[in-house]
Structures are given as structure tokens and as C-alpha cells.
Amino acid sequence: MERRTPHSGRRTFLRSISLGAAGLTLGSLSSQCFAASDGAAPARVSLTAGSDRRDMVYQALKPFEKEVKRAIKGKQVIIKPNMVVVNVPLCATHPDALRGVLDFFKPLTKQQIIIAESTLSKEGSFQGYENYGYLPLEREYGVRFIDLNQQSHTMCWILGKTHHPLGVRIIDTFLDPKNYFVSVTRLKTHDTVVTTLTGKNMFMAAPLNDYTKSDKPLMHQGIKEINWNLFQIAEKVRPGLAVLDGVEGMQGNGPIRGTAMEHGVAVAGTDFVAVDHIGAELMGIPFENIGYLNYCAQAGYGQGDRSKIQVVGGDVAKHVVKYQMHEKIEEQLTWKK
């Protein structure tokens, strides 16, 4: 995922892997592109419970105050909400969850914070900001909104149906190491990868939708392939801070057509794999069922070993609610085969 021309990038890609007559396998791509990892460090995740979304998110973030203050020095803080489409409120990050995050950052930095999204909807991200009640945050906190779909891009490579390289345009804002991303999303089920949490909120936002053509659907090359492709994007695109709003989650046929699940929890941490692990546990979903997160854990992008995740502020077992899975859950689990 380097800034280079599509042709030179493809030549480099083809030189680095072997494309035999049967095509490329997931295993061979993994061994070529990613060095072995000794595993991530033990992680700390914060859990709060209640009904006051704004305060719960704020309290969940408080244990990471010193760590985050150090991490954002010299960087631009960008809050990435989740709004797959612009006209389904239950699919989107609630504005009070964003208020909780902004309350947390207020004493940590004097810089102007950016709220940024790259919706799939042709109406554009600003229509979502308006529909979901985000725009008052500009007056309340002095934030600036941007539509990531209007930013520059870099051509990168994912896995196509035939296991040959497939070009996808990745928004440069996600690739800039000077940006510190905060991923804020609901607990939601998903139609191809079991559940969509803080990591996927970043990975699927990275492909460009320039409103004449969207590269986001290119990620969907099959059940095995989408899990790999999310992992492929995760090599460069990961949140520095992860926040899950489970006051009201989505179950069933998520990430858009699901139904509400009153849950009353919030989760936060600086290790997105660990945060998403606890989020899945709270939803009654075995972590081993989520392909892309298992790949990320194996590569050392975050802590996937539950015994090495310390949860502060609440007892996970007391807040587990079994979410109804998507109607195609059995098909989704075929990534394991």
C-alpha cells in the first residue's frame, strides 16, 4: 500500500508472489506480505454500563487519558463515526457518543478536531452529518467536518475472486501517519463478516467512493476474500483509539437492516482488536468466528488472547446479551474452511 502508479504497483505485487495456474492462495499471500509476529502486548479495555450514552463513553475513555495525550502529540485527531448509509439512524453512530468522545478530548488538546466519514450513499457524507444530528457539534465543540470521499487516494491491492490482485483506491487521509483516528461505532451484526466493530469501521471506510464510482463493493469478493481483504487494509489503516457504543446495538440483518437491541454498555481502549474482542463477547459472539479480527490478532495488530485482556470498570459476564445473528450466519462462517 505505497504511493505509486497502478502499473508499477502491480508489477511489484506480481514479482513478490507466485501466481500459479490454479491462482493465488490466501496462505501464500499471507506468507509473502506479512512478517511473523511475536504477538501483541497485553491490553486494557474499559467497560461502562447504564443509559446515559454521552457519560458512559466519556467514563469508558477516562482510564486512557495519559496514554492518549501522549499519543496525539503532533498529530491531527480525526473522529471516524460509522454511517454506512445516510438515512438509517440505527446503523449510524449516535451524536451523543461523539459528544462523549469530544468531552474526553477537550482537556487534552487545543487543536481543532475533525469528524470525517466516507459513506456509501450517493447523497454524500454531509447529508449524513445533517440527517443524524452531527452538525450542532461544530458550534458546541468547534469541530470541522470533512467528506473523506472528496480526498485524494492511493492505488492499493486486494484479493479478487480469482485470487489475482485487484486494484482499489484507498483514501490518503487514512494512510497519513500524522493522523490519529478515533473509531466510534455501535455494536452491530453484519451480513458477511459476522459483526462490524471499531476495526471494520476503519477498514471499509478506506476505499474511495467518489460518487461516480465506489470501490467499497470491491472488498466483497467472497466470504473468505472479504475477511482477507479487511485484514489486508488493516496493515496500514487502524484506529489509535476504539470506542463501542452498545447503549442500543443492532442485531439480526445488520449492518443496515437489523433491529434494535437495548444493551446499555460502552467499551473503549487503545487496542482495537482487544476492544472488538470484548464487544463480540458482550454480543454473545465467539471471537474465533470473526475472520478478519483473528487475522489481525495473528499479525500482532492487537491483542486477541482473552487471557491477556484486562477489563476495567465492569464485569463482562454480567452484561452479555445474545444478539440474533444475520440470517446467513452459517455461510459467513465458511471463511474457516
Side-chain angles (χ1 to χ4, degrees):
M1 296 178 67
E2 299 174 357
R3 288 173 175 79
R4 51 192 177 184
T5 68
H7 296 297
S8 66
R10 189 172 191 273
R11 286 196 299 269
T12 302
F13 188 102
L14 293 174
R15 283 197 302 269
S16 68
I17 58 180
S18 174
L19 290 175
L24 183 67
T25 65
L26 296 179
S28 66
L29 184 57
S30 177
S31 65
Q32 291 291 337
C33 295
F34 296 93
S37 170
D38 294 329
R44 188 167 51 120
V45 172
S46 177
L47 168 65
T48 58
S51 58
D52 185 338
R53 179 181 278 106
R54 177 176 178 175
D55 185 62
M56 288 165 60
V57 168
Y58 173 76
Q59 294 299 335
L61 288 167
K62 281 292 285 182
F64 305 98
E65 193 170 27
K66 292 182 179 179
E67 184 178 347
V68 172
K69 187 174 183 178
R70 289 194 300 268
I72 64 175
K73 188 175 181 179
K75 295 191 175 184
Q76 172 64 59
V77 176
I78 301 178
I79 299 176
K80 165 63 178 70
N82 179 253
M83 52 182 202
V84 187
V85 294
V86 300
N87 56 358
V88 181
L90 186 60
C91 89
T93 301
H94 195 284
D96 280 346
L98 299 181
R99 287 185 172 93
V101 174
L102 289 164
D103 289 342
F104 168 74
F105 273 100
K106 190 173 182 179
L108 302 185
T109 180
K110 294 181 179 180
Q111 69 169 268
Q112 184 180 44
I113 292 175
I114 292 172
I115 295 178
E117 176 60 302
S118 61
T119 183
L120 179 63
S121 292
K122 62 182 181 181
E123 293 87 350
S125 298
F126 274 89
Q127 187 62 60
Y129 298 150
E130 180 179 352
N131 290 352
Y132 297 142
Y134 296 173
L135 294 181
L137 300 175
E138 185 174 18
R139 171 179 49 81
E140 295 172 23
Y141 295 93
V143 300
R144 179 164 64 95
F145 291 92
I146 66 171
D147 184 346
L148 291 168
N149 287 326
Q150 297 175 343
Q151 307 301 303
S152 62
H153 67 273
T154 293
M155 182 64 75
C156 303
W157 302 95
I158 58 173
L159 201 65
K161 282 186 173 68
T162 59
H163 291 183
H164 284 241
L166 177 65
V168 60
R169 297 171 298 169
I170 299 298
I171 298 165
D172 285 333
T173 307
F174 287 103
L175 304 177
D176 189 341
K178 295 181 181 179
N179 292 331
Y180 181 92
F181 273 94
V182 185
S183 177
V184 191
T185 186
R186 294 179 190 260
L187 296 172
K188 295 194 297 182
T189 53
H190 196 263
D191 56 3
T192 54
V193 293
V194 184
T195 182
T196 176
L197 300 167
T198 66
K200 185 174 174 298
N201 181 41
M202 294 282 293
F203 311 150
M204 275 303 294
L208 181 70
N209 170 23
D210 64 12
Y211 303 123
T212 60
K213 173 189 174 185
S214 176
D215 284 9
K216 298 181 190 299
L218 296 178
M219 299 288 287
H220 293 265
Q221 298 294 314
I223 296 299
K224 290 177 180 288
E225 289 79 4
I226 188 173
N227 279 284
W228 174 265
N229 287 338
L230 291 170
F231 168 56
Q232 182 84 345
I233 297 299
E235 182 188 14
K236 293 291 186 182
V237 179
R238 301 196 289 272
L241 187 60
V243 181
L244 286 170
D245 168 19
V247 173
E248 182 184 41
M250 178 186 282
Q251 64 175 342
N253 289 351
I256 299 173
R257 299 177 178 86
T259 58
M261 168 61 82
E262 301 297 330
H263 198 160
V265 293
V267 186
T270 55
D271 180 328
F272 81 92
V273 175
V275 168
D276 288 356
H277 193 307
I278 298 305
E281 185 176 340
L282 287 164
M283 299 170 75
I285 299 173
F287 182 74
E288 59 267 24
N289 283 354
I290 309 169
Y292 68 96
L293 282 178
N294 276 265
Y295 295 158
C296 287
Q298 290 166 24
Y301 298 164
Q303 184 54 255
D305 184 343
R306 182 64 175 86
S307 68
K308 296 180 180 179
I309 302 174
Q310 177 191 10
V311 180
V312 299
D315 184 347
V316 175
K318 292 181 179 179
H319 298 286
V320 173
V321 177
K322 181 66 176 175
Y323 280 51
Q324 178 186 351
M325 293 291 96
H326 193 279
E327 61 187 17
K328 295 183 178 180
I329 183 61
E330 294 305 320
E331 179 184 345
Q332 294 179 47
L333 297 180
T334 60
W335 72 268
K336 297 181 179 182
K337 295 182 179 179

